[in-house]
Amino acid sequence: MGSITEKAKKILAKIEENFEIFRVSEKAKRIEEISDLISEAYSHNDVHSASKLLIEQTSLKKEVNKWENLKKEVEGLISLSEEGEKLEDIGILQEIEKNLNLIEQKLNTYEIEKFFDPLIDNTNCFVNIHPGAGGVESCDWAQMLLRMYTRFFEKKGFNYEIVDLLPDDVAGIKDATIYVQGEYAFGYLKPETGIHRLVRISPFDASKRRHTSFAAVHVIPEIKDDDQIVIDPSEIKIETFRASGKGGQHVNKTESAVRVTHIPTGLVVTIQNERSQAQNKELAMKILKSKLYEIREREKREKIEEVSGEKKDISWGNQIRSYILHPYNSVKDHRTGIETTNTSSVLDGEIDIFINAYIKWDYLNKSK
């Protein structure tokens, strides 16, 4: 049992190492600096600057507190384990080991964040799910993915709202957009962008034949600073219409649904939930700005790829992940090679193994 204290001290050393990697002390100093800058901004009636600084300060406080609390927790467990070893109290030491295992899991999750870009990855995001060709089969698969992701958000502690949902006439969904809020929400979810392939015995086929379905997932970051993307009002067309749905007092009575079209790019954003028309318009504009930002960043990447000679073709044939439910059980990520046979767990939101592996893989590839 003497190894419990040693184990705790190794975890503490790892945490202290991460204090350096994540520059926790520097960020704590920055929090103090921001307090003075906020006071100065308010003294000059610069509410915009003060608001931006408050957002930065809140984000830094969360990160600093996260690491400091983890460190204090382990330091407390070291003291308890040393006392437990003196008293040879097996029960206490077993409980401490359980807590240390949980802390290790938490630490492994936190360490993934060192691969993130704090300016882009630490943002909220929008997740869009759209079925491919295949009618009801693909629409049902899209709904299965929607369920998988909402379960993942709940386990991750992310807040989410389905801001647009278009049900299929038979089963599943024709389209869904989810607004996800949480620390590093975009960083964790951006690996999910791509084509997801399902192979199974169709529940809609009387002959019980095997079917292959596809659905596309697209993740875009929410733009924090509206100054990054400025939209000329003359370049957009805003239409209102009655929301479609399963019923309810607002359906087919008020024109609360909003469709915003960006004329130069042809981008269309439609929001038709139970919000007011004004709220739907505000949300649609927010999504449009995020999409325009993504286009701008993609164009930058394509220029780099053109110069470097790299070009990645994105098509239905290049799925990022396959979910096989027949004739065997397997979920495999084709980018990293990570595979599991526990398909039910994956479809219930346990997708960390794929996301974490991709984040590391992508970081290492970009570093080459």
Side-chain angles (χ1 to χ4, degrees):
M1 283 295 182
S3 64
I4 300 298
T5 300
E6 291 170 14
K7 180 177 179 178
K9 286 181 177 178
K10 284 180 182 177
I11 293 171
L12 180 61
K14 205 171 181 183
I15 291 169
E16 287 173 341
E17 183 183 325
N18 278 291
F19 261 66
E20 296 299 318
I21 292 169
F22 287 96
R23 299 180 289 109
V24 176
S25 298
E26 289 177 37
K27 288 171 182 175
K29 287 179 185 175
R30 174 62 180 164
I31 290 168
E32 297 302 317
E33 289 173 8
I34 290 173
S35 296
D36 294 334
L37 292 170
I38 289 170
S39 299
E40 187 180 339
Y42 277 127
S43 69
H44 291 91
N45 292 320
D46 189 352
V47 179
H48 182 66
S49 295
S51 177
K52 287 172 67 176
L53 287 164
L54 277 167
I55 291 169
E56 183 188 354
Q57 189 181 55
T58 301
S59 176
L60 289 172
K61 278 182 178 179
K62 277 185 183 178
E63 186 170 2
V64 169
N65 289 340
K66 178 175 71 180
W67 285 108
E68 288 183 343
N69 290 338
L70 202 64
K71 184 179 178 182
K72 285 176 185 175
E73 196 175 349
V74 176
E75 287 174 337
L77 289 173
I78 289 172
S79 299
L80 284 173
S81 64
E82 287 174 341
E83 188 65 27
E85 285 167 4
K86 285 179 186 176
L87 298 173
E88 297 184 351
D89 191 324
I90 305 299
I92 287 177
L93 292 173
Q94 286 177 337
E95 190 63 31
I96 290 168
E97 187 169 28
K98 282 182 187 176
N99 288 330
L100 286 173
N101 290 338
L102 291 173
I103 287 169
E104 270 192 309
Q105 290 175 22
K106 200 181 286 186
L107 180 57
N108 289 337
T109 300
Y110 290 172
E111 284 185 317
I112 288 292
E113 293 169 9
K114 68 186 171 188
F115 301 112
F116 289 153
D117 180 342
L119 296 176
I120 297 297
D121 293 328
N122 194 12
T123 58
N124 302 325
C125 63
F126 297 96
V127 179
N128 178 257
I129 303 169
H130 190 80
V136 67
E137 290 287 345
S138 292
C139 289
D140 188 58
W141 172 224
Q143 186 166 41
M144 289 170 67
L145 285 173
L146 175 61
R147 180 186 180 277
M148 181 184 81
Y149 286 122
T150 54
R151 293 290 189 276
F152 173 71
F153 303 152
E154 288 162 5
K155 290 171 183 178
K156 204 75 178 171
F158 292 159
N159 294 320
Y160 70 91
E161 180 185 3
I162 300 172
V163 296
D164 192 41
L165 183 68
L166 184 59
D168 181 59
D169 296 332
V170 180
I173 57 172
K174 291 181 179 177
D175 197 71
T177 300
I178 317 150
Y179 177 44
V180 188
Q181 296 174 290
E183 193 172 11
Y184 290 105
F186 178 63
Y188 280 111
L189 288 166
K190 67 181 181 182
E192 295 305 291
T193 290
I195 308 305
H196 295 248
R197 170 176 170 257
L198 173 70
V199 179
R200 64 171 174 172
I201 296 295
S202 170
F204 307 101
D205 187 335
S207 301
K208 300 298 178 184
R209 290 172 294 186
R210 188 171 65 182
H211 284 250
T212 299
S213 307
F214 297 93
V217 176
H218 194 195
V219 183
I220 56 173
E222 178 186 16
I223 303 305
K224 289 182 178 179
D225 188 352
D226 285 347
D227 294 341
Q228 290 189 62
I229 296 291
V230 179
I231 298 175
D232 186 340
S234 67
E235 293 183 341
I236 59 171
K237 180 172 72 173
I238 299 175
E239 302 166 277
T240 59
F241 57 97
R242 293 175 181 177
S244 60
K246 296 180 181 178
Q249 61 179 345
H250 298 298
V251 175
N252 297 325
K253 291 183 180 180
T254 60
E255 292 194 342
S256 60
V258 174
R259 181 185 296 112
V260 178
T261 304
H262 186 247
I263 297 165
T265 61
L267 285 173
V268 179
V269 178
T270 303
I271 299 294
Q272 54 171 347
N273 58 7
E274 295 181 1
R275 293 166 176 258
S276 68
Q277 186 184 111
Q279 288 174 312
N280 283 339
K281 179 183 174 183
E282 182 183 353
L283 184 58
M285 290 299 294
K286 186 181 286 188
I287 295 174
L288 178 60
K289 284 187 176 184
S290 292
K291 286 189 173 186
L292 289 171
Y293 174 84
E294 186 200 29
I295 287 173
R296 188 181 73 182
E297 294 304 302
R298 187 169 66 234
E299 285 173 349
K300 287 180 185 176
R301 289 196 300 271
E302 284 173 354
K303 284 180 182 177
I304 293 169
E305 287 170 355
E306 191 178 333
V307 172
S308 64
E310 295 181 14
K311 192 69 178 175
K312 296 178 182 178
D313 181 37
I314 300 173
S315 67
W316 292 104
N318 290 333
Q319 61 269 6
I320 63 164
R321 194 176 301 148
S322 290
Y323 306 71
I324 313 295
L325 305 184
H326 185 83
Y328 54 88
N329 288 325
S330 171
V331 180
K332 181 175 181 178
D333 194 293
H334 301 292
R335 301 162 299 181
T336 62
I338 296 296
E339 187 172 7
T340 178
T341 57
N342 194 350
T343 53
S344 59
S345 176
V346 170
L347 292 172
D348 201 36
E350 297 289 345
I351 56 176
D352 295 86
I353 57 167
F354 301 112
I355 287 173
N356 293 348
Y358 177 84
I359 290 166
K360 291 178 182 177
W361 174 85
D362 186 52
Y363 178 85
L364 291 171
N365 277 336
K366 285 176 180 176
S367 301
K368 287 180 181 177

